[in-house]
Amino acid sequence: MRSKIVAGNWKMNKNLTETETLLAALSAKLPDTEAEVMVAPTYINLTSAVRHLESSPIEVIAQNMHFAESGAYTGEISADMLLNVGIDTVIIGHSERRAYFGETDEILAKKVTAALAKGLRVMFCFGEELEDRKSENHFSVVQSQLKNALFSVDANSWSKIILAYEPVWAIGTGETASPEQAQEMHAFIRKTITEAYDTSIANNVSILYGGSVKPANAVEIFSKPDVDGGLIGGAALNADDFVAIIKAI
Ligand code: PEP
């Protein structure tokens, strides 16, 4: 079922004390909303965040995972480890993982398969770079990212997938895709999914927009019919800003 979602990706920010302070502020200020609200603290604070939010509707999600079951992968975290501390949803394919940690479509496809096989929900991120948009290749880049990393997923698993379209040029830059650019791409994504699967899957998947969403631009972006919410970076680190974005939906 397509739902509204506002998710905060905290990246490598907030130590344990700061995590608890931000979660307490968010819990206190959380508005009544039909949207799913999610936060993705760093790995070492997931357990504490899950405990802290035990009686809260805010869901704690993970920023990444490894595709292997277990083994000699120093520094990595498995799907089972996430499940074991109460995590149900994992972000896969964030542009920073692709750019700084060499995560290719092939690696991401393995991560998606491994996460779904364990019953995790996957928030799959993708989006074009500035050069792709300037050369008007943004549609084909997005299409190939989806095809290469996601479209081997069987139709039944799509209920466990959330998409986050994040144009790389808009992430952490203060530049936002215009609401029209976001809508145009989200509609294209649904068309691409319809062609690969069917209309029902395309219409039921939540597609979030990410890239410098702030309280000042959230209402306009979220008002577009194919935009089902946002993946928020910088603005998710401040309780008032994140709450204002939740209210915008
Ligand atoms: C992100 O990293 O997913 C993101 C959207 O960051 P920001 O909101 O800071 O652009």
Side-chain angles (χ1 to χ4, degrees), residues 9 11-12 93-103 171-172:
N9 174 16
K11 312 190 185 188
M12 197 175 71
H94 192 279
S95 66
E96 286 149 19
R97 299 296 317 172
R98 295 172 190 257
Y100 308 144
F101 301 96
E103 296 197 1
I171 296 181

Side-chain angles (χ1 to χ4, degrees), residues 9 11 94 96 166 170-174 210-214 231-235:
N9 174 16
K11 312 190 185 188
H94 192 279
E96 286 149 19
E166 301 203 297
I171 296 181
T173 59
S212 298
V213 175
K214 310 276 177 227
L231 179 55
I232 320 297

Side-chain angles (χ1 to χ4, degrees), residues 197-220:
Y197 293 87
D198 59 43
T199 323
S200 152
I201 289 178
N203 286 339
N204 279 312
V205 66
S206 297
I207 310 180
L208 316 186
Y209 166 80
S212 298
V213 175
K214 310 276 177 227
N217 57 25
V219 170
E220 248 200 302

Side-chain angles (χ1 to χ4, degrees), residues 6 25-26 29-33 37 213-220 222 232 235-236 238-249:
V6 179
L26 281 180
K29 295 173 184 196
L30 190 72
D32 254 352
T33 176
V37 178
V213 175
K214 310 276 177 227
N217 57 25
V219 170
E220 248 200 302
F222 294 164
I232 320 297
N238 175 287
D240 289 331
D241 286 351
F242 194 55
V243 163
I245 293 169
I246 297 166
K247 284 182 181 157
I249 202 132

Side-chain angles (χ1 to χ4, degrees), residues 66-110:
H66 197 272
F67 54 77
E69 214 22 79
S70 63
Y73 298 98
T74 302
E76 292 292 333
I77 304 283
S78 71
D80 276 335
M81 290 170 185
L82 295 178
L83 289 161
N84 189 244
V85 297
I87 301 296
D88 293 325
T89 305
V90 61
I91 298 173
I92 289 178
H94 192 279
S95 66
E96 286 149 19
R97 299 296 317 172
R98 295 172 190 257
Y100 308 144
F101 301 96
E103 296 197 1
T104 59
D105 286 344
E106 198 185 353
I107 291 171
L108 298 176
K110 287 189 190 174

